[in-house]
Amino acid sequence: MPILRPAMIPLISSLCYGPIGYCQLPRLWWKALLEAHGLLDPEYPACSQMLDSWLLEGLKIPEESFLGFIASERPNYLACEKWVAENAGRKPDALTRDCWNELIRTRIHRPAKFHFLPESIGLKAAPDLMSAVVLNHLEDWHWFYVRDFRNTDWKSGTVIPLISTLDYGRLGVCQLPRTWLKVILEARGWLHPDYPGCGNGLDAKVLKVLNLDREKTVAYLKTELPSYMGFERWIRKQTSGSFDRPAIEEWNRYLRQREHGPEKQKSIGDFLGLAETDRPTSAVVLNHLEDWEFAHRALVASGGVGR
């Protein structure tokens, strides 16, 4: 059994979504599930009075009903989505979903939070940190690094990397934070064997987009085990702060629109128990579901291995 802190930082971000497409819902599910297991970091509410409550209000689902369902059934993510679709007073639809997701992706923090949060994680307030997405990511990853990564001893090969391909930090590069997480977990021997630390696919490609030497970057991560913000500072030094922004934007678009081929769709679909007609083609959705299923199984089986 792994040695676990009595609390965990939830690493599924507000940007993440599943088959019905609502951002924030997977994060709400994961926080509520960790809370049900007594493992949610106390500074993170299972259902916040902002995004979580707004989402449930928009779907006309009582907070107590949602949290009660999670606490009693402890469902995987697909079962959670099914329950939401069946119990929503306002059924999910494309228009409300797209409007909601645009709010999540473009939200700006209120001034009080914009000035307080950067200082709390060792940063100075700056215009790019007005983005709620960027600042919330950095906050989660900072506290994960400080409280979980440096103060937990997991059983070998058990940790699921729950930072998504969609997530990005101040550099604005999708996949980069996920690569960071996988490599530092691998360096400690904690990364689940189904995940490469820095594979030949998206991990290698994101480093190429930034003109970073793969071997040098992996060696730095494994030797120094930096925080994510420390990793970005190192990248700026390696590149002298010069980045090909059009190439980064093209890379981010590619990741968001990518689809898996039939073989990968079948592999992940079989793992999830999905009928062929129910399998998404989106690589984002399929990879999310795979991560979350691994994490759910680990959490249920051992009391909290998955992140």
Side-chain angles (χ1 to χ4, degrees):
M1 290 290 291
I3 301 169
L4 293 166
R5 291 180 62 245
M8 294 183 182
I9 307 300
L11 287 184
I12 296 178
S13 81
S14 295
L15 289 182
C16 292
Y17 55 87
I20 64 174
Y22 279 78
C23 291
Q24 186 68 23
L25 182 58
R27 181 172 174 85
L28 172 57
W29 160 76
W30 186 239
K31 290 193 300 171
L33 193 63
L34 289 176
E35 176 77 7
H37 284 268
L39 291 172
L40 182 63
D41 188 285
E43 292 189 22
Y44 287 79
C47 184
S48 73
Q49 295 308 301
M50 294 190 67
L51 296 184
D52 298 321
S53 293
W54 294 349
L55 175 59
L56 293 178
E57 288 170 7
L59 293 169
K60 293 193 179 300
I61 296 175
E63 178 181 324
E64 59 273 17
S65 296
F66 180 85
L67 294 179
F69 165 69
I70 300 295
S72 63
E73 300 299 323
R74 307 197 178 186
N76 66 8
Y77 183 71
L78 284 171
C80 175
E81 269 205 0
K82 182 174 184 291
W83 184 92
V84 166
E86 291 173 349
N87 289 271
R90 177 182 292 142
K91 298 304 179 185
D93 66 81
L95 179 59
T96 56
R97 178 199 66 209
D98 292 348
C99 290
W100 168 254
N101 290 349
E102 184 67 11
L103 167 67
I104 294 290
R105 293 164 181 157
T106 61
R107 193 168 64 97
I108 301 298
H109 270 316
R110 61 188 185 278
K113 195 160 189 176
F114 164 61
H115 288 289
F116 167 74
L117 268 185
E119 184 177 344
S120 72
I121 59 176
L123 294 173
K124 294 182 179 179
D128 64 310
L129 296 180
M130 293 180 70
S131 163
V133 166
V134 171
L135 192 49
N136 289 352
H137 283 170
L138 295 180
E139 183 185 25
D140 284 352
W141 304 338
H142 169 79
W143 293 123
F144 163 79
Y145 182 77
V146 170
R147 297 176 186 169
D148 291 353
F149 183 75
R150 293 171 61 182
N151 291 289
T152 308
D153 188 12
W154 286 291
K155 184 178 178 181
S156 177
T158 58
V159 183
I160 314 304
L162 289 184
I163 293 179
S164 167
T165 293
L166 295 180
D167 296 334
Y168 54 88
R170 297 185 80 176
L171 291 180
V173 184
C174 294
Q175 179 66 29
L176 187 65
R178 181 173 172 87
T179 300
W180 160 78
L181 177 63
K182 291 194 298 173
V183 175
I184 65 171
L185 288 174
E186 183 184 54
R188 287 280 180 89
W190 295 334
L191 183 65
H192 190 284
D194 277 63
Y195 295 86
C198 184
N200 293 318
L202 300 184
D203 301 309
K205 289 177 181 177
V206 71
L207 299 182
K208 186 175 181 180
V209 167
L210 293 170
N211 292 315
L212 293 172
D213 180 86
R214 180 180 173 184
E215 290 187 7
K216 183 177 181 180
T217 302
V218 171
Y220 162 74
L221 288 171
K222 288 190 171 183
T223 302
E224 299 299 325
L225 298 177
S227 67
Y228 181 73
M229 289 185 286
F231 180 39
E232 281 204 349
R233 286 193 294 270
W234 180 84
I235 291 173
R236 289 184 184 276
K237 288 181 181 178
Q238 301 304 307
T239 60
S240 300
S242 177
F243 303 101
D244 186 341
R245 287 297 167 188
I248 290 172
E249 290 172 7
E250 181 180 352
W251 166 251
N252 290 345
R253 280 194 300 271
Y254 162 72
L255 288 181
R256 291 163 182 156
Q257 298 170 3
R258 195 168 62 106
E259 294 195 344
H260 277 319
E263 184 176 343
K264 190 72 170 179
Q265 290 176 35
K266 182 179 187 308
S267 173
I268 297 178
D270 288 348
F271 171 66
L272 297 170
L274 290 173
E276 186 173 353
T277 53
D278 295 332
R279 292 172 189 168
T281 60
S282 164
V284 167
V285 173
L286 283 169
N287 289 354
H288 281 168
L289 293 176
E290 183 178 39
D291 286 352
W292 304 339
E293 182 63 18
F294 270 125
H296 177 265
R297 293 184 187 187
L299 184 66
V300 170
S302 65
V305 178
R307 292 267 143 176

